[in-house]
Amino acid sequence: MKYNHLSKWLIVALMFSANWVSAQVTENNQSDFNEFTYRQGSAYRAASGKPGPEYWQNKADYKIAVTLNEEEHIIAGKVDITYTNNSPESLPFVWLHLEQNRFKADSRGTLTTPIQGNRYSGDVDGGFAINNVEAKLSKRGSSVSSKHIISDTRMQVFFDEPIPAKGGQATISMNFEFKIPVKGMDRMGRLDVADGTIYALAQWYPKVAVFDDVEGWNIEPYLGAGEFYLEYGDFDYLVTVPYDHIVVGSGALQNPKEVLSKTVLDRLEKAENSDETVLLIKPDEVTKPELTRPKQEGTLTWRFKIENARDVAFASSSAFIWDAARINLPEGKKAIAQSAYPKESDGQDAWSRSTEYSKASIEHYSNKWYPYPYPSAVNVAADINGMEYPGLNFCSYKSKEGSLWGVTDHEFGHNWFPMIVGSNERRYAWMDEGFNSFINHYSSEAFNDGEYGSTMQQTRKYLKWFNSEDREGIDTYPDVANTSNLGMIAYMKPAIGLLLLREYILGEERFDNAFKAYIEAWAYKHPQPNDFFNIVENVGGENLSWFWKSWFYGTDNIDLAIENVVPYGNDQVVILSNKGGVPMPVKLGLTYADGSKESIVLPVEIWQRGDSWNYQHKSNKQLVGVEIDPEKILPDINIANDKWPSEIYK
């Protein structure tokens, strides 16, 4: 064989190639491939990654009635909670979240916010006022307890008798009120626009914390970056507002005839059967409530219901343009997409396309991963960059075009993670933000044949962060993480991890089977990280401990390298090394002297024996070029050593 561009290597290679190939590794890397956490199954969580035969979770059903005082910007009302204890132990008390208490000057969240502030800074003149607390078992003759302790953003409510295990029920009720903050840590708040104030209401009622088989009570305080972990239940809530307001909320409106004129009702019926956006409140009608409301003074009460949800949010304003369209779901089911926005956000380059975006997003995820479960999907323009709740988003009223598509699609994607698959956001932000960012990649590529597209597969654009000495691991809790790292460790790095699994490690079919199995197994339940790892391995048919350990629970990087290519008899040997801390299968693109190309894949197990590997390539054609990862999916931190010989690729 003739190696024109390797002539200087020929004599040396012939003399020493046998030594290259037969070199023995003195220390193996088996520890990189061993299990890294206790992932064995139990009666509650099976080793297969599914809920075990004795899996349980508790339930919280809510009836809430509140009134909005527009003059003083106050919400006041009452909540009645029916709590079902399905756990195997009796409960003498229940913990609740009081997240509005974050908006106090002495809250833990305020006192742990850096002096310079951050995204989660907020008003500090608010907080809940709580009174008339009553707690009792749901059996006849039970005594009523008012004993409770409020500690920062948590509330402990005691019962005179413990709630019985395995199905015991109790009720908790209280009155509450709070001043609505202007700046609600980019999750809720209020915005003044030309035609009124937009009230974006979230974290607006006392809600039960999760009691599970892993931690018992999950009672981490609400500091800001860490989001939510809540029980599932049914919600029936009433919102009383000034007569000229439009209210949109999680779930289905129960009393449209009581709050809307016949004109709007007719338009709503049309929208429910239309794939095109239908205006319910037109721009020129916003300041003319006599055209669209059933009364012209006082207040109106709007009633909403949603089932099997973990939270509810709503928005109210006299400034809303309101439009809607039908969402087509699998098996002939339907829902309705709605958008509510002020005239400042109107326009075909902006919020006039919001419902189109919402509809496309929900339909894509429903067909690709799991059907959307709720009767409506509402996008609300507010002074919030983007925040999700079951069936309702708050997105920036300033967003336009691709940025509006991106935030709308991202927030609706959260209906799958964590609204359907109910992970613990306060601890594991990557299980909702990362998974959601991953599915956003495919929805963006699909929307209007890639009208806005996605750049997530260009993983090497993140190399600056991967090379940063200040990077943190995905497993860092969001309230602990440096805010400059949060976008990568909660969103992009876990999303890239799933992309690598689908596009590089497992392949589309095996990954999709595993990912769908995870969603189906844990829909409306509470998975832990190990449950996800186990189900992907069991359904995907691959031991991935090496990947979970290095990518999700470490800060090492990918750096695969070609050291050289040398002749070996009539064959060639590609000398490879793993210079990073993340082992990976090695996809090689081969180029021959006759111009033909070939691809091969070396399994990740080549790195079990050490950090170098000699691949003997058998071919009767002259090999003139070799490249690692020719499709450039891996975020390999040193692309200079990915090709041989490097000069032919310049």
Side-chain angles (χ1 to χ4, degrees), residues 371-442:
Y372 183 72
Y374 302 123
S376 66
V378 188
N379 205 22
V380 180
D383 192 18
I384 296 165
N385 286 314
M387 188 60 203
E388 74 284 352
Y389 302 93
L392 184 141
N393 305 329
F394 298 131
C395 296
S396 174
Y397 75 107
K398 297 179 181 178
S399 291
K400 295 183 176 182
E401 298 177 324
S403 66
L404 180 57
W405 157 260
V407 68
T408 299
D409 181 54
H410 179 79
E411 305 311 336
F412 276 127
H414 273 303
N415 279 277
W416 281 262
F417 308 101
M419 305 310 167
I420 294 173
V421 181
S423 57
N424 185 342
E425 300 175 272
R426 199 154 288 179
R427 288 191 171 200
Y428 311 116
W430 60 272
M431 293 184 74
D432 69 290
E433 298 294 0
F435 289 14
N436 184 28
S437 297
F438 166 74
I439 65 174
N440 298 159
H441 166 67
Y442 297 98

Side-chain angles (χ1 to χ4, degrees), residues 17 52 65 73 85 89 112 135 143 184 192 272 361 408 462 519 640 643 645:
S17 60
H73 307 303
N85 175 25
E89 59 182 286
T112 55
S143 59
D192 290 333
E272 290 171 343
S361 180
T408 299
Y462 301 107
I519 298 172
K643 300 171 183 177

